[in-house]
Amino acid sequence: MKKPIMAIMYDFDKTLSTTDMQNYSFIPALGMTPDEFWGATGEFSKKTGTERILSYMWMMVKLGKEKGLPLTEKWFNSLGKEVVYYPGVEKWFKRINKYGKEKGVQVEHYLVSSGTKEIVDGTSIAKEFTKIYGCEFYYDPETKQPLWPKFAINYTQKTQYFFRISKGVTNVHDESVNNKTTSRRVPYANMVYLGDGMTDVPCMVLVKQNGGNAIAIYNKKDQANVSSLIKAGRVNYACLANYEEGSDLDQTMKLIIDKISLNYQMEKKEQQLLKKEMRGEKHVK
């Protein structure tokens, strides 16, 4: 048997970062407050009937051009340096990878965000992910300005990446994800989803119902919101937004790794016993 693979899927805004990624630098560059920008986005969505994620992408481009902001991919990347994480995030990935290796489990990290991928690509933790899925712009080859949404991921569309990662079909253009298969690169039980609230519910429920683990991440002021997820049975665990060693989240994730490792060892033992039994039957014949 090959070493078991574990896939940890993360939301970004308010799961790894302390607020929406646009709030740190992009919105201030517009001369607006987050409430003003997101309020305007909501109004545009309501007025035009445009889907909420496409609305915020439209507003980023429209207002950015009005303010004369660069809006190039490189400029968006630079905004990632201003993102503020919850305690311990930057050291989390290598520590969890190391623990998994000690337990014979290959840990992989995937980001599935409705935020701006170009901003995420510029963060200090971008290199930690096996794959980053997020909203992207298509840029004019000559002017380098955004012309159209390249990818847009809303809350329910996030669920497709659960199946892609499980099957190992991570290229978004690969339609073989819909093919029926008897084997999965990452079993559902080896998948974990970390999110901060109601917008992550579709993924949380999907992961939990298929035998994986859904973890609601919360800060102290939003603890009440997470309580409803627990009562409704939509998550397995709820942990304070603290990724430091020894934290509740750290201990919970390590217990999940322990369980995956133990299940693998038990399955391996069963196969060994089965092979011995089969060899014994052949010997009798």
Side-chain angles (χ1 to χ4, degrees), residues 65-252:
K65 286 183 177 179
E66 289 177 359
K67 292 295 181 178
L69 300 181
L71 298 185
T72 63
E73 184 175 4
K74 185 176 180 180
W75 182 74
F76 280 125
N77 289 164
S78 72
L79 303 184
K81 296 180 176 62
E82 304 300 321
V83 170
V84 179
Y85 309 108
Y86 284 123
V89 166
E90 291 183 289
K91 295 182 179 179
W92 161 267
F93 302 95
K94 287 183 173 57
R95 186 174 69 252
I96 294 302
N97 292 347
K98 181 174 181 291
Y99 187 83
K101 187 175 181 179
E102 291 171 353
K103 296 293 180 174
V105 177
Q106 178 180 324
V107 181
E108 297 178 349
H109 306 272
Y110 294 84
L111 187 70
V112 185
S113 172
S114 294
T116 308
K117 183 178 182 293
E118 290 89 337
I119 295 178
V120 175
D121 285 340
T123 65
S124 62
I125 62 173
K127 62 183 182 295
E128 306 292 353
F129 299 102
T130 298
K131 191 79 174 180
I132 295 175
Y133 299 106
C135 299
E136 296 181 67
F137 293 106
Y138 170 71
Y139 297 87
D140 186 303
E142 295 182 2
T143 67
K144 309 301 181 184
Q145 294 294 295
L147 292 177
W148 196 261
K150 184 177 178 180
F151 287 110
I153 303 175
N154 66 24
Y155 315 129
T156 54
Q157 287 170 339
K158 283 185 175 184
T159 57
Q160 71 160 293
Y161 299 101
F162 170 76
F163 299 107
R164 285 191 175 281
I165 293 167
S166 176
K167 291 183 176 182
V169 185
T170 56
N171 186 329
V172 293
H173 300 291
D174 191 339
E175 296 182 2
S176 67
V177 67
N178 297 315
N179 296 343
K180 187 175 182 179
T181 180
T182 56
S183 62
R184 295 180 177 277
R185 182 173 182 273
V186 186
Y188 290 153
N190 291 9
M191 300 185 74
V192 182
Y193 184 85
L194 275 67
D196 66 282
M198 296 305 293
T199 58
D200 297 295
V201 165
C203 263
M204 288 175 167
V205 172
L206 181 66
V207 173
K208 185 174 184 290
Q209 287 181 342
N210 283 280
N213 289 277
I215 303 177
I217 304 298
Y218 67 92
N219 56 44
K220 291 181 179 179
K221 66 178 182 179
D222 293 330
Q223 188 170 0
N225 296 334
V226 171
S227 297
S228 64
L229 296 176
I230 299 171
K231 290 177 182 177
R234 290 176 161 181
V235 296
N236 301 87
Y237 311 101
C239 297
L240 185 66
N242 183 347
Y243 291 77
E244 294 176 309
E245 187 168 9
S247 66
D248 184 33
L249 177 58
D250 179 74
Q251 294 180 45
T252 300

